[in-house]
Amino acid sequence: MRLRKASAESADSASVPAPEQPPLSGNGQPPVRRQMLGQVLIRDGILTPEQLAEAVVKQVGSDRRLGELLIEMGVADESQVVAALAEQMNLPLANLREVVPDPAVAECLSETLARSLRAIPMYRAENGVVVVAVSDPRPQLESELSTAIGGPVAIALATDQEISWAISNVYRALEGIDDQVAAFVAIHGSEAERSATSTVSDATGDDAPVIQIVNMIITQALRDRASDVHVEPQDRVVRIRFRIDGVMHDVLTLPSSMGSALTSRLKIMAGMSIVERRRPQDGQIAMNLDGRDLDIRVAAIGVIWGEKVVLRLLDKSRSLYELGQLGMNGVALDSFNKMLHSPYGMVLCAGPTGSGKTTTLYAALNAVNHSDRNITTIEDPVEYVFPSINQIQINETAGIGFASGLKSILRQDPDMILVGEIRDEDTARIAIQAALTGHFVLSSVHATDAVSSLYRFIDMGVEPFLISASVLGVVGQRLVRKTCLDCKVSYTPSPEEIEFFVKAGGNIDATFQRGEGCNYCAHTGYSGRIGAYELLTVTEEMREMLVRPSATHADLRELAIEQGMVPLRSEGARLVA
């Protein structure tokens, strides 16, 4: 496709009428009068004239772009506005879903300038013109790009989200890591065993290669949407892996000689002891990368080849979920919302590590956060800050644990208490006492499903009659990967998949889709995750069964399903459908 140069007109100029005597183009003929941006969107059925008029009124007296206002109003999405803008300005659309920008051409523009201009060089045409994808074809952008690249350019349009993805994908944070590794080996040699003094020096010098390598790894993990980074020493190498959308991915390997320096650097950043290498340690790192505040939980443990370190990345700039966005079905959502407005009792979120329990707790907290309630939380760590809620950070060295902190909270006249996690009998007993004495308690517990969480309390040593008297309900949950919306296609599942789907309660007439794999999902076919939930509402019959010594887990689960609980597998089938 032949690309034409961009006009200097911006998206805002759509509301400005063309002059009566338009200037001549390069061939001496008047240029074709373009439709306005709003007219294109109305013609395509995206906008109504009333919606356009409302946006134009909001635009008057401000420096906001018309397209930006339409997206903010929710009447058009970014891709629709960009497509209309491309038609209005007679510019092509950049297909960043299938076309990967040429890294050699992208080097014409520095990463800093690319992020500043919201532009990414894609490829060099046969005539030597560099084709650049941009999200905002503002006046003078073409000349700025031409000056920066040092030659003629042609403009193509893409959404800002697509440009952000392309920049992060092309300008890899791990680019140049081989040079840092070579510098480290040149200074210290390749021997695996080095003195503690040398290790400390490696991990603290401002220009030390290991510091650059750690920063590169964390930056790349953030750009790849990784939830966890695993630094794993092995016999001959140190393996680095990222967990993305719940799945582990090998990222790179480093020389085994770097293992102790890498671990020491991470432990120094997390405020942990670098002398102690045998017992497990936990720490925390707060940093800002790519303009985003990052909170990192660090856990170190000794393995046979050294110390393994796992980093849990928490992006504090991410938006807080509403209850309706979590993925619960309508009936379960209504029941859960009613539980949250109970004056007293306990509601639990149950699931394994990484199942989204904290996200559910925060969404629940956001739903009941009103000025007429005194809400206090005790967490480890505080992942999201609520300005109007009293939040306490666990600090074991200062004597503030879940049990001791919960005792103190009860003397603070609370209406609602959030306990980040119930891990032991002391915390469980105090939380139950709080629920029985007129407080509403919200917490999480590690368990395989909703029913199992009740038996986890019994396993901790809590009497069944206390559990039955205090617990109002339990949300069991898992996170499942979502099909990438940019490359989804219909397909026919295998007979085995159909059989499993039907057994889980799925409808055989459902239309099945999967991701083919594209640049946006790293060719996995998946992008992001959504929760699958089962909601156990504790009824009188369940309370009676729970205190009965002969009642088993299977009995209680069967009763819960009879009384309306939709199990996790059936919820998964609903999400597929």
Side-chain angles (χ1 to χ4, degrees), residues 130-142:
V130 175
V131 180
V132 184
V134 304
S135 62
D136 181 12
R138 62 184 182 276
Q140 307 305 319
L141 177 61
E142 184 178 354

Side-chain angles (χ1 to χ4, degrees), residues 347-398:
V347 174
L348 298 169
C349 291
T353 301
S355 59
K357 298 187 297 298
T358 301
T359 300
T360 302
L361 288 178
Y362 278 143
L365 204 60
N366 195 39
V368 297
N369 181 21
H370 305 296
S371 59
D372 61 346
R373 307 188 78 182
N374 177 21
I375 302 175
T376 305
T377 76
I378 181 163
E379 309 169 60
D380 184 24
V382 174
E383 295 183 15
Y384 187 93
V385 176
F386 290 83
S388 57
I389 290 179
N390 309 292
Q391 295 175 272
I392 300 171
Q393 168 71 55
I394 289 292
N395 188 341
E396 297 289 356
T397 58

Side-chain angles (χ1 to χ4, degrees), residues 16 19 50 118 183 251 379 394 397 424 432 440 460 488 554 568:
V16 180
E50 293 77 17
R118 309 306 299 159
V251 178
E379 309 169 60
I394 289 292
T397 58
D424 52 47
I432 286 174
F440 183 82
M460 289 179 191
K488 67 177 183 180
L568 280 171

Side-chain angles (χ1 to χ4, degrees), residues 129-160:
V129 174
V130 175
V131 180
V132 184
V134 304
S135 62
D136 181 12
R138 62 184 182 276
Q140 307 305 319
L141 177 61
E142 184 178 354
S143 61
E144 290 177 32
L145 287 168
S146 181
T147 301
I149 291 174
V153 299
I155 298 295
L157 293 188
T159 67
D160 192 66

Side-chain angles (χ1 to χ4, degrees), residues 417-472:
I417 302 168
L418 184 144
V419 183
E421 182 184 340
I422 294 178
R423 301 173 179 172
D424 52 47
E425 181 182 354
D426 288 342
T427 307
R429 285 189 178 278
I430 298 168
I432 286 174
Q433 288 169 10
L436 291 174
T437 54
H439 304 91
F440 183 82
V441 179
L442 190 62
S443 188
S444 70
V445 62
H446 280 85
T448 54
D449 56 33
V451 175
S452 298
S453 66
L454 300 178
Y455 285 91
R456 277 278 292 126
F457 275 76
I458 297 174
D459 185 55
M460 289 179 191
V462 180
E463 292 80 2
F465 72 89
L466 290 176
I467 303 169
S468 64
S470 59
V471 178
L472 301 175

